[in-house]
Amino acid sequence: MYKRLLNRLLISHRNYSYSRSIIDIIKTGQIGETISVQGWIKSLRKQKEVTFIDINDGSTPTNLQIVLTQKSDSKISVGSSISTSGVLKQSPKGQNEVSAENMVLIGECDLAKGYPFAPRKQYEPEYIREHLHFRPRTRKFASLLRLRHAANISIHNYLDEKGYFNIHTPIMTSNDCEGAGEIFKVLPDNEKLLKSMAKENQASELVYFDTKAYLTVSGQLHLEAAAQALNKVYCFGPTFRAENSKSRFHLSEFYMLELEQAFLSNLDDLLIIVEDLIKSVTSNLLQKYSDDIGMCTQNKVSHKWIDKPFIKISYKEALNILSNKLNKTVKGDIVKEHELALTEYFDQVPVFVINWPKNQKPFYMKEIDNENVAAFDLLAPQIGEIAGGSLREDNYDKLKSRLANNNSQLDWYLDLRRFGCVPTGGFGLGFERFLQFVLGIDTVRDSIPFPRWPHNCKL
Amino acid sequence: MYKRLLNRLLISHRNYSYSRSIIDIIKTGQIGETISVQGWIKSLRKQKEVTFIDINDGSTPTNLQIVLTQKSDSKISVGSSISTSGVLKQSPKGQNEVSAENMVLIGECDLAKGYPFAPRKQYEPEYIREHLHFRPRTRKFASLLRLRHAANISIHNYLDEKGYFNIHTPIMTSNDCEGAGEIFKVLPDNEKLLKSMAKENQASELVYFDTKAYLTVSGQLHLEAAAQALNKVYCFGPTFRAENSKSRFHLSEFYMLELEQAFLSNLDDLLIIVEDLIKSVTSNLLQKYSDDIGMCTQNKVSHKWIDKPFIKISYKEALNILSNKLNKTVKGDIVKEHELALTEYFDQVPVFVINWPKNQKPFYMKEIDNENVAAFDLLAPQIGEIAGGSLREDNYDKLKSRLANNNSQLDWYLDLRRFGCVPTGGFGLGFERFLQFVLGIDTVRDSIPFPRWPHNCKL
């Protein structure tokens, strides 16, 4: 009885006849075979006898031309979704096309009802960004999304092959890290819940966790705890800044790759990892996603830097070069203008600036001498800083003395230096800025699907 | 001049002599060769002439035995980090070991100074969890971290190969989704900033974004916007619930894989995707990470279900089975006890329960008839629900009528049905519960590096 019931209930894994994806048709389609395909109409030209319809299904930037020999549904328009089948042929221009006798309309797309993108029109990124939920339907941004996916998985696979383990460092943390004040706090949006959980006279922001909770500004400190056991670790996730910045390089929510490696005591070793990672991931994109790269960059972005060694200069050398180049004494902060001047000076090759003054960097960076720390910034042409890192201070007393106000929240971090400590080093790479650099994206808001910045948290 | 400067500044990519990782020594080490290795001491036995030291470097659960023929540093103890080199030999038991003449202590680990883990002692998970920053140093949890990494990257690669694109859906959102009240709100922790940005009489929680902002409870709605252009998409990131639940299955911050596919109009097609994904990822772990699986599960977890088709029953059939099995009429909610009873009934094979009453499911699920929606829950043995999904309501009028209070926040979501809409379906898989299921982890708090639950937000 039981067996029979079981058999009856088993899912029948029938061969469900899926339509083919356009990328699959392009790669493996045989001239003469009958295929089914679905997608959204990208352009439409009606002639007396036939209608030429370009469709796209999101699998590739390349459209597939459908040549429809019957009268087409009058409701079919650019933006509407359709299903069709026909014989795969070669067009006079040598490209694949489908000769179809009919076409089924799945979803209309009526411009008159408020669809924001008209056929054959070019729109500015600002306008497209106003319609975030439709933005993936624009050709260039669809390519950006595929490339963002490809870069993401390429980074994971690169690090996996090198023996790094992905650690999910926390998004909500009780540690305000560097206390820079550019931090979001988090609490339940539920008065009833808070009331039911509150201890006497407890401030509402303390109730849920018994401590204030913030959104992470960096996974580094947590990553170090993992590196002191697993050796080679990274995190790659969302990071937050509550700044009032509307620059083309800042978001309130962005992605950062952070890597930490144990038994590492030489800054150069860290630079080699950063340079190889950036070059490998970029090469992979250029090789495997050339169509999307072409669409996204409009072939206007140079990647010549990929074959050249990155430049390495000290902070002091950087100031000297800048003073000479700009004909004025540059000291103190290296600002965005300086960053761009340096990469320009070095012929659009990325530049590592190393050995920074201690007072310009966070407390955890390892001292070289009384004045300087073993840190780097990596400056990319046209973009400026895309990564930064350092060796970490592994001397318990030095670290403790640099921790402001004897912050007891970070006792656990000091602990890492007290028990079986090994030297570590690591860096953070801004993922959106990396994409801006490789894909020539003017504003960071166009490098992420759902950008958040002051006064903007759409959807 | 410029060229010379350039050459001088180039990073010299010298062959830096890294120590070998233990996994590399195990896999490729040649008996007789001299190797350098670094790690943390896991056990130590001093004899008259020699000291036997097991070290681990995080690359694998397997320790490497060092046979030290010189007198060892008296400060060397379990937990301390060391560096050594010597000749690779085969032990009498046939395992690799290193015959070393000396050993350099890198970092002490003095139990007397407060290190919480004494040698040769077993600790309960609750105790280990009290020391989150040292937890990765415990053998079983180190295996969990490597397996979590492996499962994570395996999911990404599985989906990439099948043509899905990873979309980073937003963490901060102005959309409170189902309005279930179990949501965190977010605002800058900076009175000065808020004051400088505030419009007249604006509530502080509205100031930064001009709208209230929440932490995401699901990326599904945003994913649907991408699916209506890219077709096959997923997100895999942190998700949040402000519940006051301390159950062994709930966290305030957890990871969820969510997938959405366009041109999908049959629930069975979705079930096939879920089942194949779960089986493929699990197979991959069992094959490639058998050592870590053994360490983590203590070989007490059965994976026989992997060779069996998952069960599929309707919600109504589930109630009948439960009523018979439990000798009482079961109606309404299927609670945890019922979920476990169902998988027990089906001999510890995962069970899809499909076709749910409309009033038990969210507004966006597609109606089969007036009473039911095309939805599923996937129940795993010992764990209960690990995934859930549905076809999505693609009829604009039906969807609008089910949206409570004409929530204008979701006008954009309704828009997706108005312009070029195609049927879609998707699901969410709880990553920690999946790990609990595959690795036999009793509480979800031991499946994530930095668990957050009510009154607990350590580090």
Side-chain angles (χ1 to χ4, degrees), chain A residues 108 137 149 160 171-172 174 185 187 189 208 212 243 253 419-420 452 455 457, chain B residues 108 137 149 160 171-172 174 185 187 189 208 212 243 253 419-420 452 455 457:
Chain A
E108 287 182 58
R137 304 180 185 198
H149 159 79
D160 179 61
I171 307 300
M172 295 190 291
S174 52
K185 65 181 171 190
L187 62 161
D189 185 43
Y208 188 82
K212 244 176 127 166
E243 292 172 284
E253 173 177 324
F419 302 105
R452 274 86 182 86
H455 308 297
C457 187
Chain B
E108 288 182 57
R137 303 181 187 198
H149 159 78
D160 179 60
I171 308 300
M172 296 190 292
S174 52
K185 64 182 171 190
L187 63 163
D189 184 43
Y208 189 81
K212 245 177 128 168
E243 293 172 285
E253 174 177 324
F419 302 105
R452 275 83 181 87
H455 308 297
C457 188

mmCIF file of all heavy atoms in Angstrom, chain A residues 108 137 149 160 171-172 174 185 187 189 208 212 243 253 419-420 452 455 457, chain B residues 108 137 149 160 171-172 174 185 187 189 208 212 243 253 419-420 452 455 457:
data_model
loop_
_atom_site.group_PDB
_atom_site.id
_atom_site.type_symbol
_atom_site.label_atom_id
_atom_site.label_comp_id
_atom_site.label_asym_id
_atom_site.label_seq_id
_atom_site.Cartn_x
_atom_site.Cartn_y
_atom_site.Cartn_z
ATOM 1 N N GLU A 108 1.248 42.376 -23.833
ATOM 2 C CA GLU A 108 1.294 43.640 -24.575
ATOM 3 C C GLU A 108 2.244 44.634 -23.921
ATOM 4 O O GLU A 108 2.537 44.536 -22.723
ATOM 5 C CB GLU A 108 -0.075 44.321 -24.546
ATOM 6 C CG GLU A 108 -1.134 43.722 -25.376
ATOM 7 C CD GLU A 108 -2.401 44.575 -25.250
ATOM 8 O OE1 GLU A 108 -2.338 45.785 -25.556
ATOM 9 O OE2 GLU A 108 -3.426 44.022 -24.814
ATOM 10 N N ARG A 137 15.546 46.192 -18.942
ATOM 11 C CA ARG A 137 15.080 45.960 -20.315
ATOM 12 C C ARG A 137 15.833 46.801 -21.339
ATOM 13 O O ARG A 137 15.648 46.607 -22.541
ATOM 14 C CB ARG A 137 13.584 46.288 -20.408
ATOM 15 C CG ARG A 137 12.764 45.506 -19.411
ATOM 16 C CD ARG A 137 11.298 45.835 -19.525
ATOM 17 N NE ARG A 137 10.561 45.158 -18.465
ATOM 18 C CZ ARG A 137 9.254 44.963 -18.468
ATOM 19 N NH1 ARG A 137 8.528 45.399 -19.479
ATOM 20 N NH2 ARG A 137 8.662 44.342 -17.466
ATOM 21 N N HIS A 149 27.247 39.997 -13.020
ATOM 22 C CA HIS A 149 27.157 38.586 -12.639
ATOM 23 C C HIS A 149 28.463 37.855 -12.949
ATOM 24 O O HIS A 149 29.007 37.119 -12.116
ATOM 25 C CB HIS A 149 25.997 37.912 -13.384
ATOM 26 C CG HIS A 149 26.115 36.427 -13.469
ATOM 27 N ND1 HIS A 149 25.801 35.596 -12.417
ATOM 28 C CD2 HIS A 149 26.558 35.606 -14.458
ATOM 29 C CE1 HIS A 149 26.035 34.336 -12.753
ATOM 30 N NE2 HIS A 149 26.491 34.315 -13.988
ATOM 31 N N ASP A 160 38.438 30.739 -4.943
ATOM 32 C CA ASP A 160 38.257 29.331 -4.576
ATOM 33 C C ASP A 160 39.432 28.499 -5.081
ATOM 34 O O ASP A 160 39.998 27.671 -4.352
ATOM 35 C CB ASP A 160 36.937 28.819 -5.170
ATOM 36 C CG ASP A 160 36.694 27.354 -4.851
ATOM 37 O OD1 ASP A 160 36.602 27.022 -3.655
ATOM 38 O OD2 ASP A 160 36.603 26.544 -5.792
ATOM 39 N N ILE A 171 26.171 41.357 8.566
ATOM 40 C CA ILE A 171 25.668 42.637 8.056
ATOM 41 C C ILE A 171 25.292 43.519 9.254
ATOM 42 O O ILE A 171 25.631 44.690 9.297
ATOM 43 C CB ILE A 171 24.442 42.413 7.142
ATOM 44 C CG1 ILE A 171 24.769 41.398 6.038
ATOM 45 C CG2 ILE A 171 23.967 43.741 6.563
ATOM 46 C CD1 ILE A 171 25.895 41.770 5.131
ATOM 47 N N MET A 172 24.594 42.946 10.215
ATOM 48 C CA MET A 172 24.288 43.685 11.437
ATOM 49 C C MET A 172 25.402 43.401 12.440
ATOM 50 O O MET A 172 25.765 42.241 12.663
ATOM 51 C CB MET A 172 22.942 43.235 12.013
ATOM 52 C CG MET A 172 21.766 43.552 11.104
ATOM 53 S SD MET A 172 20.147 43.282 11.891
ATOM 54 C CE MET A 172 20.106 41.484 12.030
ATOM 55 N N SER A 174 27.424 44.806 16.256
ATOM 56 C CA SER A 174 27.393 45.685 17.430
ATOM 57 C C SER A 174 28.646 46.553 17.488
ATOM 58 O O SER A 174 28.819 47.348 18.402
ATOM 59 C CB SER A 174 27.278 44.846 18.699
ATOM 60 O OG SER A 174 28.276 43.844 18.726
ATOM 61 N N LYS A 185 22.135 52.786 11.801
ATOM 62 C CA LYS A 185 21.714 51.918 12.899
ATOM 63 C C LYS A 185 20.448 51.171 12.500
ATOM 64 O O LYS A 185 19.724 51.597 11.598
ATOM 65 C CB LYS A 185 21.504 52.726 14.177
ATOM 66 C CG LYS A 185 20.379 53.735 14.117
ATOM 67 C CD LYS A 185 20.278 54.513 15.434
ATOM 68 C CE LYS A 185 19.294 55.670 15.282
ATOM 69 N NZ LYS A 185 19.336 56.595 16.434
ATOM 70 N N LEU A 187 16.980 48.903 13.940
ATOM 71 C CA LEU A 187 16.114 48.422 15.025
ATOM 72 C C LEU A 187 14.780 47.941 14.461
ATOM 73 O O LEU A 187 14.409 48.317 13.348
ATOM 74 C CB LEU A 187 15.909 49.478 16.108
ATOM 75 C CG LEU A 187 15.244 50.809 15.800
ATOM 76 C CD1 LEU A 187 14.754 51.460 17.094
ATOM 77 C CD2 LEU A 187 16.214 51.738 15.097
ATOM 78 N N ASP A 189 11.051 47.620 13.378
ATOM 79 C CA ASP A 189 10.034 48.626 13.073
ATOM 80 C C ASP A 189 8.701 48.157 13.649
ATOM 81 O O ASP A 189 7.727 47.973 12.909
ATOM 82 C CB ASP A 189 9.936 48.804 11.550
ATOM 83 C CG ASP A 189 8.985 49.924 11.181
ATOM 84 O OD1 ASP A 189 9.037 50.972 11.836
ATOM 85 O OD2 ASP A 189 8.171 49.734 10.252
ATOM 86 N N TYR A 208 16.212 45.100 21.086
ATOM 87 C CA TYR A 208 16.160 43.818 20.379
ATOM 88 C C TYR A 208 17.405 42.966 20.607
ATOM 89 O O TYR A 208 17.322 41.756 20.860
ATOM 90 C CB TYR A 208 15.939 44.048 18.878
ATOM 91 C CG TYR A 208 15.682 42.769 18.125
ATOM 92 C CD1 TYR A 208 14.411 42.191 18.102
ATOM 93 C CD2 TYR A 208 16.706 42.118 17.451
ATOM 94 C CE1 TYR A 208 14.167 41.008 17.421
ATOM 95 C CE2 TYR A 208 16.471 40.924 16.769
ATOM 96 C CZ TYR A 208 15.207 40.378 16.760
ATOM 97 O OH TYR A 208 14.975 39.201 16.088
ATOM 98 N N LYS A 212 23.266 48.295 20.801
ATOM 99 C CA LYS A 212 22.974 49.001 19.560
ATOM 100 C C LYS A 212 23.475 48.154 18.394
ATOM 101 O O LYS A 212 24.526 47.507 18.504
ATOM 102 C CB LYS A 212 23.703 50.350 19.550
ATOM 103 C CG LYS A 212 22.764 51.546 19.540
ATOM 104 C CD LYS A 212 23.516 52.841 19.639
ATOM 105 C CE LYS A 212 23.120 53.790 18.533
ATOM 106 N NZ LYS A 212 23.597 55.169 18.803
ATOM 107 N N GLU A 243 26.653 58.480 4.463
ATOM 108 C CA GLU A 243 27.243 59.780 4.151
ATOM 109 C C GLU A 243 26.248 60.613 3.367
ATOM 110 O O GLU A 243 25.394 60.081 2.679
ATOM 111 C CB GLU A 243 28.472 59.587 3.245
ATOM 112 C CG GLU A 243 29.641 58.910 3.877
ATOM 113 C CD GLU A 243 30.711 58.608 2.834
ATOM 114 O OE1 GLU A 243 30.519 57.650 2.055
ATOM 115 O OE2 GLU A 243 31.715 59.328 2.793
ATOM 116 N N GLU A 253 24.827 52.029 -0.276
ATOM 117 C CA GLU A 253 24.913 50.560 -0.208
ATOM 118 C C GLU A 253 25.736 50.095 -1.404
ATOM 119 O O GLU A 253 25.374 50.369 -2.543
ATOM 120 C CB GLU A 253 23.491 49.974 -0.258
ATOM 121 C CG GLU A 253 23.426 48.467 -0.370
ATOM 122 C CD GLU A 253 21.985 47.942 -0.335
ATOM 123 O OE1 GLU A 253 21.147 48.507 0.400
ATOM 124 O OE2 GLU A 253 21.696 46.967 -1.059
ATOM 125 N N PHE A 419 46.481 35.188 21.465
ATOM 126 C CA PHE A 419 46.458 33.727 21.484
ATOM 127 C C PHE A 419 46.753 33.162 20.098
ATOM 128 O O PHE A 419 45.939 33.244 19.190
ATOM 129 C CB PHE A 419 45.100 33.238 21.981
ATOM 130 C CG PHE A 419 44.753 33.740 23.361
ATOM 131 C CD1 PHE A 419 43.817 34.739 23.545
ATOM 132 C CD2 PHE A 419 45.406 33.223 24.475
ATOM 133 C CE1 PHE A 419 43.512 35.201 24.818
ATOM 134 C CE2 PHE A 419 45.106 33.681 25.750
ATOM 135 C CZ PHE A 419 44.165 34.680 25.929
ATOM 136 N N GLY A 420 47.933 32.616 19.938
ATOM 137 C CA GLY A 420 48.288 31.944 18.678
ATOM 138 C C GLY A 420 48.248 32.868 17.471
ATOM 139 O O GLY A 420 47.942 32.434 16.363
ATOM 140 N N ARG A 452 21.362 53.047 -4.100
ATOM 141 C CA ARG A 452 20.867 53.842 -2.976
ATOM 142 C C ARG A 452 21.858 54.946 -2.680
ATOM 143 O O ARG A 452 23.059 54.686 -2.501
ATOM 144 C CB ARG A 452 20.741 52.948 -1.724
ATOM 145 C CG ARG A 452 19.413 52.194 -1.619
ATOM 146 C CD ARG A 452 19.405 50.902 -2.345
ATOM 147 N NE ARG A 452 18.111 50.210 -2.264
ATOM 148 C CZ ARG A 452 17.092 50.427 -3.088
ATOM 149 N NH1 ARG A 452 17.169 51.308 -4.059
ATOM 150 N NH2 ARG A 452 15.970 49.756 -2.952
ATOM 151 N N HIS A 455 18.508 60.604 -0.370
ATOM 152 C CA HIS A 455 17.207 60.939 -0.954
ATOM 153 C C HIS A 455 16.754 59.947 -2.027
ATOM 154 O O HIS A 455 15.780 60.214 -2.724
ATOM 155 C CB HIS A 455 17.198 62.373 -1.523
ATOM 156 C CG HIS A 455 17.671 63.398 -0.540
ATOM 157 N ND1 HIS A 455 17.000 63.654 0.643
ATOM 158 C CD2 HIS A 455 18.768 64.198 -0.520
ATOM 159 C CE1 HIS A 455 17.652 64.576 1.331
ATOM 160 N NE2 HIS A 455 18.737 64.911 0.654
ATOM 161 N N CYS A 457 15.982 55.844 -2.500
ATOM 162 C CA CYS A 457 15.904 54.428 -2.091
ATOM 163 C C CYS A 457 14.703 53.814 -2.780
ATOM 164 O O CYS A 457 13.761 53.335 -2.149
ATOM 165 C CB CYS A 457 15.791 54.338 -0.565
ATOM 166 S SG CYS A 457 15.898 52.655 0.082
ATOM 167 N N GLU B 108 52.330 32.798 20.849
ATOM 168 C CA GLU B 108 52.002 31.957 22.008
ATOM 169 C C GLU B 108 50.495 31.800 22.167
ATOM 170 O O GLU B 108 49.726 32.624 21.676
ATOM 171 C CB GLU B 108 52.474 32.636 23.298
ATOM 172 C CG GLU B 108 53.932 32.662 23.540
ATOM 173 C CD GLU B 108 54.187 33.334 24.901
ATOM 174 O OE1 GLU B 108 53.643 32.850 25.915
ATOM 175 O OE2 GLU B 108 54.922 34.333 24.917
ATOM 176 N N ARG B 137 38.507 28.200 15.214
ATOM 177 C CA ARG B 137 39.679 27.380 15.557
ATOM 178 C C ARG B 137 39.284 25.991 16.037
ATOM 179 O O ARG B 137 40.160 25.140 16.228
ATOM 180 C CB ARG B 137 40.483 28.083 16.660
ATOM 181 C CG ARG B 137 40.907 29.475 16.260
ATOM 182 C CD ARG B 137 41.712 30.151 17.345
ATOM 183 N NE ARG B 137 41.958 31.541 16.979
ATOM 184 C CZ ARG B 137 42.904 32.304 17.521
ATOM 185 N NH1 ARG B 137 43.687 31.809 18.469
ATOM 186 N NH2 ARG B 137 43.063 33.550 17.133
ATOM 187 N N HIS B 149 31.357 27.522 2.611
ATOM 188 C CA HIS B 149 31.993 28.116 1.430
ATOM 189 C C HIS B 149 31.735 27.253 0.187
ATOM 190 O O HIS B 149 31.354 27.752 -0.869
ATOM 191 C CB HIS B 149 33.502 28.252 1.660
ATOM 192 C CG HIS B 149 34.301 28.371 0.401
ATOM 193 N ND1 HIS B 149 34.381 29.541 -0.316
ATOM 194 C CD2 HIS B 149 35.019 27.453 -0.293
ATOM 195 C CE1 HIS B 149 35.124 29.347 -1.392
ATOM 196 N NE2 HIS B 149 35.523 28.097 -1.408
ATOM 197 N N ASP B 160 25.079 29.391 -12.672
ATOM 198 C CA ASP B 160 25.779 30.016 -13.798
ATOM 199 C C ASP B 160 25.776 29.086 -15.008
ATOM 200 O O ASP B 160 25.476 29.492 -16.133
ATOM 201 C CB ASP B 160 27.213 30.346 -13.375
ATOM 202 C CG ASP B 160 28.014 30.974 -14.499
ATOM 203 O OD1 ASP B 160 27.603 32.051 -14.980
ATOM 204 O OD2 ASP B 160 29.034 30.389 -14.911
ATOM 205 N N ILE B 171 19.600 45.498 -0.170
ATOM 206 C CA ILE B 171 19.475 45.155 1.243
ATOM 207 C C ILE B 171 18.581 46.194 1.925
ATOM 208 O O ILE B 171 17.677 45.849 2.674
ATOM 209 C CB ILE B 171 20.861 45.123 1.922
ATOM 210 C CG1 ILE B 171 21.828 44.224 1.149
ATOM 211 C CG2 ILE B 171 20.726 44.682 3.377
ATOM 212 C CD1 ILE B 171 21.411 42.787 1.024
ATOM 213 N N MET B 172 18.818 47.453 1.643
ATOM 214 C CA MET B 172 17.935 48.506 2.151
ATOM 215 C C MET B 172 16.856 48.749 1.107
ATOM 216 O O MET B 172 17.151 48.919 -0.077
ATOM 217 C CB MET B 172 18.725 49.799 2.391
ATOM 218 C CG MET B 172 19.782 49.655 3.479
ATOM 219 S SD MET B 172 20.545 51.232 3.977
ATOM 220 C CE MET B 172 21.473 51.664 2.501
ATOM 221 N N SER B 174 12.726 50.502 0.360
ATOM 222 C CA SER B 174 11.627 51.322 0.849
ATOM 223 C C SER B 174 10.321 50.538 0.876
ATOM 224 O O SER B 174 9.273 51.057 1.220
ATOM 225 C CB SER B 174 11.478 52.569 -0.038
ATOM 226 O OG SER B 174 11.405 52.190 -1.390
ATOM 227 N N LYS B 185 14.015 48.516 10.655
ATOM 228 C CA LYS B 185 14.158 49.783 9.949
ATOM 229 C C LYS B 185 15.587 50.282 10.111
ATOM 230 O O LYS B 185 16.303 49.881 11.040
ATOM 231 C CB LYS B 185 13.156 50.812 10.459
ATOM 232 C CG LYS B 185 13.335 51.217 11.899
ATOM 233 C CD LYS B 185 12.254 52.228 12.326
ATOM 234 C CE LYS B 185 12.314 52.450 13.839
ATOM 235 N NZ LYS B 185 11.162 53.223 14.317
ATOM 236 N N LEU B 187 18.265 53.755 9.836
ATOM 237 C CA LEU B 187 18.494 55.199 9.692
ATOM 238 C C LEU B 187 19.908 55.551 10.136
ATOM 239 O O LEU B 187 20.525 54.782 10.869
ATOM 240 C CB LEU B 187 17.444 56.020 10.437
ATOM 241 C CG LEU B 187 17.309 55.930 11.953
ATOM 242 C CD1 LEU B 187 16.522 57.121 12.474
ATOM 243 C CD2 LEU B 187 16.590 54.640 12.352
ATOM 244 N N ASP B 189 23.024 56.793 12.116
ATOM 245 C CA ASP B 189 23.271 56.950 13.551
ATOM 246 C C ASP B 189 24.074 58.234 13.762
ATOM 247 O O ASP B 189 25.198 58.194 14.264
ATOM 248 C CB ASP B 189 24.052 55.737 14.062
ATOM 249 C CG ASP B 189 24.250 55.788 15.578
ATOM 250 O OD1 ASP B 189 23.277 56.129 16.272
ATOM 251 O OD2 ASP B 189 25.367 55.498 16.038
ATOM 252 N N TYR B 208 16.986 60.609 5.673
ATOM 253 C CA TYR B 208 18.119 60.273 4.801
ATOM 254 C C TYR B 208 17.681 59.915 3.378
ATOM 255 O O TYR B 208 18.264 60.366 2.393
ATOM 256 C CB TYR B 208 18.948 59.146 5.414
ATOM 257 C CG TYR B 208 20.238 58.891 4.674
ATOM 258 C CD1 TYR B 208 21.356 59.688 4.890
ATOM 259 C CD2 TYR B 208 20.332 57.860 3.742
ATOM 260 C CE1 TYR B 208 22.533 59.475 4.199
ATOM 261 C CE2 TYR B 208 21.509 57.639 3.046
ATOM 262 C CZ TYR B 208 22.603 58.440 3.274
ATOM 263 O OH TYR B 208 23.770 58.219 2.578
ATOM 264 N N LYS B 212 10.935 55.951 4.519
ATOM 265 C CA LYS B 212 11.401 54.981 5.502
ATOM 266 C C LYS B 212 12.176 53.891 4.776
ATOM 267 O O LYS B 212 11.816 53.495 3.662
ATOM 268 C CB LYS B 212 10.189 54.351 6.200
ATOM 269 C CG LYS B 212 10.119 54.687 7.689
ATOM 270 C CD LYS B 212 8.877 54.125 8.331
ATOM 271 C CE LYS B 212 9.211 53.321 9.559
ATOM 272 N NZ LYS B 212 8.006 53.014 10.361
ATOM 273 N N GLU B 243 11.980 39.102 14.375
ATOM 274 C CA GLU B 243 11.056 38.294 15.167
ATOM 275 C C GLU B 243 11.647 38.076 16.556
ATOM 276 O O GLU B 243 12.858 38.069 16.722
ATOM 277 C CB GLU B 243 10.884 36.906 14.540
ATOM 278 C CG GLU B 243 10.188 36.882 13.221
ATOM 279 C CD GLU B 243 10.256 35.484 12.606
ATOM 280 O OE1 GLU B 243 11.349 35.119 12.101
ATOM 281 O OE2 GLU B 243 9.248 34.773 12.635
ATOM 282 N N GLU B 253 19.292 37.316 11.079
ATOM 283 C CA GLU B 253 20.024 37.555 9.828
ATOM 284 C C GLU B 253 20.402 36.198 9.251
ATOM 285 O O GLU B 253 21.099 35.425 9.914
ATOM 286 C CB GLU B 253 21.276 38.395 10.138
ATOM 287 C CG GLU B 253 22.211 38.592 8.959
ATOM 288 C CD GLU B 253 23.417 39.493 9.310
ATOM 289 O OE1 GLU B 253 23.230 40.454 10.090
ATOM 290 O OE2 GLU B 253 24.517 39.221 8.828
ATOM 291 N N PHE B 419 3.257 45.741 -18.841
ATOM 292 C CA PHE B 419 4.081 46.003 -20.028
ATOM 293 C C PHE B 419 4.971 44.800 -20.362
ATOM 294 O O PHE B 419 5.926 44.506 -19.648
ATOM 295 C CB PHE B 419 4.940 47.243 -19.803
ATOM 296 C CG PHE B 419 4.133 48.478 -19.490
ATOM 297 C CD1 PHE B 419 4.071 48.986 -18.207
ATOM 298 C CD2 PHE B 419 3.403 49.103 -20.498
ATOM 299 C CE1 PHE B 419 3.319 50.121 -17.921
ATOM 300 C CE2 PHE B 419 2.639 50.237 -20.225
ATOM 301 C CZ PHE B 419 2.594 50.744 -18.935
ATOM 302 N N GLY B 420 4.626 44.106 -21.415
ATOM 303 C CA GLY B 420 5.456 42.992 -21.885
ATOM 304 C C GLY B 420 5.617 41.883 -20.864
ATOM 305 O O GLY B 420 6.653 41.226 -20.814
ATOM 306 N N ARG B 452 23.000 35.954 14.596
ATOM 307 C CA ARG B 452 22.254 37.023 15.260
ATOM 308 C C ARG B 452 20.854 36.534 15.570
ATOM 309 O O ARG B 452 20.148 36.068 14.669
ATOM 310 C CB ARG B 452 22.153 38.252 14.347
ATOM 311 C CG ARG B 452 23.354 39.200 14.398
ATOM 312 C CD ARG B 452 24.477 38.779 13.527
ATOM 313 N NE ARG B 452 25.614 39.692 13.616
ATOM 314 C CZ ARG B 452 26.592 39.596 14.538
ATOM 315 N NH1 ARG B 452 26.581 38.647 15.454
ATOM 316 N NH2 ARG B 452 27.586 40.457 14.538
ATOM 317 N N HIS B 455 18.536 39.350 21.484
ATOM 318 C CA HIS B 455 19.485 39.545 22.591
ATOM 319 C C HIS B 455 20.915 39.090 22.246
ATOM 320 O O HIS B 455 21.766 39.033 23.131
ATOM 321 C CB HIS B 455 19.018 38.856 23.879
ATOM 322 C CG HIS B 455 17.614 39.220 24.257
ATOM 323 N ND1 HIS B 455 17.253 40.519 24.572
ATOM 324 C CD2 HIS B 455 16.477 38.485 24.319
ATOM 325 C CE1 HIS B 455 15.954 40.551 24.836
ATOM 326 N NE2 HIS B 455 15.450 39.339 24.676
ATOM 327 N N CYS B 457 23.950 39.796 19.439
ATOM 328 C CA CYS B 457 24.570 40.394 18.247
ATOM 329 C C CYS B 457 26.044 40.610 18.556
ATOM 330 O O CYS B 457 26.561 41.716 18.538
ATOM 331 C CB CYS B 457 23.871 41.712 17.910
ATOM 332 S SG CYS B 457 24.389 42.446 16.347
#
